């Protein structure tokens, strides 16, 4: 390893969530085409290589996966599940800078500096908070659903009825 390489890695890590989110949005925009399949295939290969080599922490990798392959859900238009309400209540009262830190740690897009409310000319704290909560909400929902799928699969393997 070269001296100072850690600084490069740190900066690279910071921009990955935005890049992965943009690539995922691009793939969804051309869904069903060879281009979309190629984008997804290449992203999965890169992530698999990084995972095999343990390049990044598993939390960051999960956040990148969500950023690339899951449509961000607006929490305002969703029914917040009961199991998520305690976290959700915390998010709603936190300053957006704390939410940015949580998103960054989770491998989610965290740069909310250019987020504006509809019709606003300058960044708005509530709009920034909602932008970040949308990403945290999407990640938590994805992780919960992934866990549920794994449990159903395990119950089927163990001979239990799939509930």
């Amino acid at each position: 390893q070269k001296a100072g390489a850690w600084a490069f890695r740190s900066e690279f890590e910071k921009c990955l969530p935005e890049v992965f989110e943009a690539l995922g949005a691009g793939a969804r925009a051309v869904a069903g085409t060879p281009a979309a399949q190629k984008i997804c295939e290449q992203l999965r290969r890169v992530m698999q290589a990084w995972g095999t080599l343990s390049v990044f922490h598993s939390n960051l990798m999960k956040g990148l996966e969500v950023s690339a392959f899951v449509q961000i859900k607006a929490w305002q238009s969703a029914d917040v599940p009961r199991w998520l309400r305690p976290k959700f209540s915390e998010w709603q009262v936190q300053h957006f800078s704390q939410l940015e830190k949580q998103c960054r740690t989770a491998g989610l897009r965290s740069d909310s500096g250019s987020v504006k409310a509809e019709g606003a000319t300058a960044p708005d704290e509530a709009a920034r908070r909602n932008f970040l909560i949308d990403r945290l909400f999407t990640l938590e929902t994805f992780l919960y659903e992934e866990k549920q799928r794994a449990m159903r699969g395990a119950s089927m393997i163990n001979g239990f009825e799939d509930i």
Side-chain angles (χ1 to χ4, degrees):
Q1 284 187 335
K2 300 237 181 210
W6 62 270
F8 174 76
R9 178 177 176 239
S10 176
E11 289 304 312
F12 183 64
E13 191 175 303
K14 285 179 189 175
C15 71
L16 285 174
E18 186 172 353
V19 170
F20 272 61
E21 189 173 306
L23 288 169
R28 281 187 294 281
V30 293
T33 66
Q37 290 175 327
K38 187 168 185 165
I39 291 169
C40 292
E41 180 183 315
Q42 294 298 327
L43 284 173
R44 289 188 199 285
R45 279 190 191 163
V46 167
M47 291 184 70
Q48 185 176 30
W50 288 347
T52 300
L53 297 170
S54 299
V55 174
F56 298 111
H57 191 277
S58 60
N59 289 346
L60 182 108
M61 294 295 292
K62 193 55 71 176
L64 293 177
E65 179 183 355
V66 168
S67 295
F69 302 114
V70 180
Q71 175 71 44
I72 300 298
K73 299 174 187 171
W75 68 266
Q76 300 93 328
S77 61
D79 183 26
V80 177
R82 181 173 292 139
W83 58 267
L84 187 54
R85 289 181 187 154
K87 270 189 183 179
F88 184 76
S89 295
E90 288 177 26
W91 295 337
Q92 288 185 300
V93 296
Q94 288 179 337
H95 190 267
F96 69 84
S97 62
Q98 291 179 296
L99 295 168
E100 284 178 333
K101 184 177 180 181
Q102 287 180 48
C103 285
R104 202 171 21 259
T105 302
L108 300 170
R109 186 170 168 204
S110 61
D111 180 16
S112 65
S114 62
V115 176
K116 300 173 187 161
E118 181 109 11
T121 58
D124 171 80
E125 188 171 324
R128 293 176 79 174
R129 183 181 298 112
N130 289 337
F131 172 88
L132 297 162
I133 291 174
D134 287 347
R135 278 140 188 83
L136 292 166
F137 176 74
T138 301
L139 174 66
E140 290 296 331
T141 303
F142 174 82
L143 293 173
Y144 179 83
E145 290 168 357
E146 188 176 64
K147 189 177 186 178
Q148 294 300 309
R149 282 190 298 274
M151 287 172 47
R152 281 194 302 271
S155 69
M156 291 304 289
I157 290 169
N158 294 325
F160 294 104
E161 201 174 291
D162 192 7
I163 298 173

